[in-house]
Amino acid sequence: MGKPFQNLHSDEWLRLAGFALGIFYVILTIWTALHVNLFTVLGGDFRALFASARIAVTSGFSQVYNLAVQRETQAALMAPYATAEVETIPTPFLPFFILPFTLFLPLGLSGGFILWTILNIGALALYLLQLVGKKDRLFPGLAFLSLPVFLTLLLGQVNIWLLICVGEFLRAWEQGKRFYGGLWLGGLLMKPQTLILLIPVLFLKRRWDILAGFAVAALGIIGISLALARPAGITPWWGLLTRYTGQLSATDPQAMGNFRMLGWLLSLLVSPRLAWSIAIGLSVAIASLAFWASLRRRGPEDETTSLLSLLAATCAVAWHSHIHMAAILIPPMLRQVASGQMPRSLLALWSLLPPAIYFLAIATMALLTARGGQPLPLPGFTYPALAILGLHIYFVIWAVPKTN
């Protein structure tokens, strides 16, 4: 009898790694559910969305951005799950994006989260298969198992729908339906920081058809939001949005995949002023490189490369960019792998390396704790966040056009 795992080719090793990763996620989810209060980590962000929907129905959309009202509502929702006070998570979304969550209210917090998770899993699985076709399911499967997707599902985040908006924008762009693509781009207003580089590049490239579609979508979203909350109710939204980027504890910079996380890390080693100077300098450099590379790329075959570079740079430089937001990179990555523009190994590395590093980090922490040793110097999520940041920097550099 031969030894197991002998003579496996690369795709079979990747499938084996994906299977092991899936088992790790299942164990981690069960452990979190059993050892951490429900809706603190597991479903934590959905709790905030559900609370916002309840506030919108009972007190009006303008009260969604009142942190005192949020604190009271979330405390009531958490009463069955936690005895101690839990951190209040704000919802810096326009009323347009809160409205759909009112449909989950009749199911209660637990039932709503279960349905939300099922919808996200189903929508992502079907969309990824549609995006690349059925001939090669390995790499959509690996993307599905990436850490950004897992954290999106674990927390009850909204990034699957941002991913779909990016994918449909890219599809329309490739097919020459640019106005239609701009309409899909409007969906990214759910997290406006995703647009900080893409919209300026579209202006500089004079993509007026895309921008016209985006403007129509933005006016519709803002108009409906004004109708729901009235102008006086949007002012607190803007105040919350500006505070949410830096002054609220729920931002957790140590779990971000950006230069803000790096600045936080460096501030533990050097003076805060030097640390943030380095972080801001690197942000400007990477954003400038992505801008320059995108402006140099003007051919139809360059659109996915340009979009991938801009989104990778956005995740690296946006002040509020957690690990899970990186799920928006999946559509351009899959399209590039399918067309042969990107090495398959690069997508595999992006999908598998960060969760592998996270596994090693928490395994090391558990071992050190069991032996009575000192814990690792950084929180567990900081290690994969550093890996994701490094990969995104590489994507930006890799997308720079080669000179002859």
Side-chain angles (χ1 to χ4, degrees), residues 336-351:
Q336 289 232 307
V337 168
S339 65
Q341 293 175 277
M342 173 185 279
R344 289 152 52 104
S345 57
L346 196 52
L347 175 57
L349 192 66
W350 184 87
S351 300

Side-chain angles (χ1 to χ4, degrees), residues 265-297:
L265 176 59
L266 291 175
S267 68
L268 303 176
L269 305 173
V270 299
S271 69
R273 183 174 182 177
L274 176 59
W276 294 116
S277 296
I278 294 172
I280 292 171
L282 289 172
S283 297
V284 171
I286 289 299
S288 300
L289 184 61
F291 260 115
W292 179 79
S294 296
L295 293 175
R296 287 283 305 274
R297 290 183 176 274

Side-chain angles (χ1 to χ4, degrees), residues 115 131 146 172 184 250 259 263 265 344 355:
L115 179 58
L131 197 64
S146 65
W184 278 103
F259 287 114
L265 176 59
R344 289 152 52 104

Side-chain angles (χ1 to χ4, degrees), residues 87 151 243-268 276 279 315-324 378-389:
E87 186 176 48
L151 292 179
R243 291 175 61 200
Y244 196 68
T245 59
Q247 298 178 15
L248 298 176
S249 59
T251 54
D252 293 326
Q254 67 274 15
M256 294 183 179
N258 58 4
F259 287 114
R260 180 181 177 186
M261 175 272 299
L262 184 62
W264 168 85
L265 176 59
L266 291 175
S267 68
L268 303 176
W276 294 116
C315 288
V317 306
W319 197 245
H320 191 82
S321 173
H322 282 97
I323 295 171
H324 49 69
L378 302 174
F381 276 123
T382 303
Y383 299 97
L386 284 167
I388 285 177
L389 176 60

Side-chain angles (χ1 to χ4, degrees), residues 178-252:
R178 293 178 174 173
F179 179 84
Y180 182 69
L183 293 175
W184 278 103
L185 203 59
L188 297 186
L189 285 171
M190 188 181 301
K191 292 191 176 183
Q193 66 269 33
T194 57
L195 295 166
I196 59 172
L197 299 182
L198 183 54
I199 293 299
V201 165
L202 291 174
F203 267 107
L204 292 173
K205 284 191 169 185
R206 300 181 180 182
R207 304 293 193 188
W208 308 125
D209 38 10
I210 296 176
L211 291 169
F214 173 75
V216 169
L219 288 173
I221 290 168
I222 294 171
I224 292 172
S225 295
L226 287 171
L228 291 171
R230 301 190 177 183
I234 297 298
T235 303
W237 166 78
W238 178 253
L240 177 62
L241 192 67
T242 54
R243 291 175 61 200
Y244 196 68
T245 59
Q247 298 178 15
L248 298 176
S249 59
T251 54
D252 293 326

